[in-house]
Amino acid sequence: MMMSGSTRFWLKFWIIYAALWGAGSVAVGAYAAHGFEGDELRVLWAQTGSLYGLVHALALLALTALGAAGSGCSRARTIASGCFSLGLLFFSGGLFLKALCDLSLNGPYIPVGGSLFILGWLLTVAFGFTYRQKDL
């Protein structure tokens, strides 16, 4: 069974997006270990953003791989991927801005990002119930 051009585009997009967030999360986590000179709150923000960033970058990669290797409720998988990607932007990105720039966007971005992570996991459950591995 051949993949459509649109499907190939989105598979590549999610892989690249997740990999960039993974790299950024490692970089910010490493900087937090050495660059904040005793500012424990900024270290905590950076470490939390890094941990959640890495976990959800891997979750996004796993969803992408499962989507390529099988079938299931593609709507649940697609929306879960979107939730994880926006969660990375709002939650981890928001914490990175606070830690690195001492900047807050004065909105509920971080809690919204966390809620998107939760929703992404629940949609992954729905995808899991409908998942079928492709015959080789």
Side-chain angles (χ1 to χ4, degrees):
M1 185 170 154
M2 302 243 347
M3 271 191 245
S4 71
S6 174
T7 301
R8 280 192 301 275
F9 168 82
W10 284 109
L11 288 174
K12 285 183 176 187
F13 174 83
W14 293 127
I15 292 167
I16 292 166
Y17 186 87
L20 288 172
W21 272 101
S25 294
V26 170
V28 171
Y31 183 78
H34 307 287
F36 290 125
E37 300 189 19
D39 190 337
E40 292 179 24
L41 187 56
R42 290 174 83 177
V43 170
L44 180 63
W45 289 334
Q47 288 177 337
T48 302
S50 293
L51 173 64
Y52 280 77
L54 284 170
V55 166
H56 289 89
L58 290 173
L60 189 52
L61 285 172
L63 273 177
T64 301
L66 288 169
S71 63
C73 182
S74 62
R75 182 174 299 193
R77 181 181 48 82
T78 300
I79 297 172
S81 296
C83 287
F84 287 152
S85 67
L86 288 174
L88 284 162
L89 188 64
F90 292 158
F91 186 86
S92 293
L95 286 172
F96 292 164
L97 280 175
K98 285 179 77 141
L100 296 171
C101 305
D102 201 18
L103 176 68
S104 180
L105 299 176
N106 294 326
Y109 298 101
I110 295 168
V112 166
S115 298
L116 286 166
F117 283 155
I118 295 167
L119 181 58
W121 285 111
L122 294 173
L123 288 162
T124 301
V125 169
F127 173 65
F129 276 119
T130 64
Y131 183 77
R132 293 173 305 283
Q133 187 172 355
K134 291 178 183 173
D135 293 330
L136 298 177

